[in-house]
Amino acid sequence: MNRIAVCPGSFDPVTNGHIDIIKRASSMFDKVIVLVMYNARKNGGTLPVEERAELIRRCVDGMPNVAVDFYGGLLADYVKMNGVCAIVKGLRAVSDFEDEFQQALANKKLAPDVETVFAVTSSEYMYLSSSVVREICRYGGDISGFVPDVIREDIVKKYSSET
Ligand code: ADP
């Protein structure tokens, strides 16, 4: 059976915490789609979704069952249109839980055949979020270890000028 999972998020920008969840999802499912979403609650984000997706593509180059896509609509519609069986989300702390729980229930209502699966963060990435990376870039700090090396310089360039 071809079991397709989606890892949705803003990825503004992608971090090592995201990559860890993507890798782990790729070992559990036949195919993983990393889905960059336009999040109206985050004012659409800093970089255009196409650019965020391009940065992720460079990081998942060596993962043969991982693809990257972007979408401006409802996640529930995307999963139904693409034969997805699971939505994989990462949990860093209790504070992530309430929002993720609500989203999982709403998605279950809209797409009843699709399960939300939660992966607990690896402890070394517990503190890591895209907003922490944006904040460090804004003040010219060092993001080594926060984002994949292959895109680090591009992130510094893009986010120090745009934030
Ligand atoms: P952020 O909360 O960093 O802005 P996103 O909206 O892009 O991130 O998050 C996409 C998914 O990745 C969410 O399920 C989020 O909980 C998860 N995630 C983000 N950072 C981490 C991390 N350091 N460890 C585990 N999961 C994470």
Side-chain angles (χ1 to χ4, degrees):
M1 206 184 343
N2 196 19
R3 299 177 68 77
I4 306 173
V6 72
C7 289
S10 308
F11 303 105
D12 192 25
V14 66
T15 69
N16 284 335
H18 292 127
I19 297 294
D20 177 56
I21 298 290
I22 293 165
K23 263 192 204 142
R24 289 158 61 193
S26 78
S27 70
M28 292 188 279
F29 294 91
D30 298 317
K31 180 180 173 185
V32 169
I33 304 170
V34 182
L35 188 64
V36 182
M37 303 209 65
Y38 178 92
N39 188 342
R41 285 186 298 170
K42 294 182 183 173
N43 291 325
T46 309
L47 284 193
V49 284
E50 295 86 341
E51 278 188 51
R52 287 181 241 163
E54 196 43 48
L55 288 169
I56 302 169
R57 269 189 204 108
R58 287 164 51 196
C59 305
V60 299
D61 205 26
M63 302 182 208
N65 65 338
V66 178
V68 184
D69 198 3
F70 51 86
Y71 189 59
L74 273 180
L75 178 59
D77 290 335
Y78 184 93
V79 295
K80 284 192 277 188
M81 286 185 303
N82 291 279
V84 169
C85 70
I87 297 166
V88 180
K89 302 298 294 279
L91 284 180
R92 278 162 294 197
V94 180
S95 51
D96 277 344
F97 180 75
E98 196 164 325
D99 191 41
E100 293 291 357
F101 185 62
Q102 197 177 33
Q103 285 182 44
L105 290 175
N107 285 326
K108 191 75 188 161
K109 184 96 184 151
L110 294 168
D113 296 337
V114 179
E115 291 297 333
T116 297
V117 176
F118 291 108
V120 173
T121 183
S122 300
S123 52
E124 67 262 44
Y125 301 128
M126 201 174 154
Y127 66 93
L128 191 47
S129 68
S130 298
S131 56
V132 163
V133 171
R134 291 197 302 273
E135 192 73 3
I136 298 172
C137 285
R138 181 181 299 142
Y139 295 106
D142 181 6
I143 54 167
S144 306
F146 289 65
V147 301
D149 287 341
V150 64
I151 56 168
R152 190 178 65 235
E153 279 180 19
D154 279 318
I155 288 187
V156 169
K157 265 188 228 139
K158 287 173 190 284
Y159 283 86
S160 51
S161 58
E162 299 221 20
T163 49

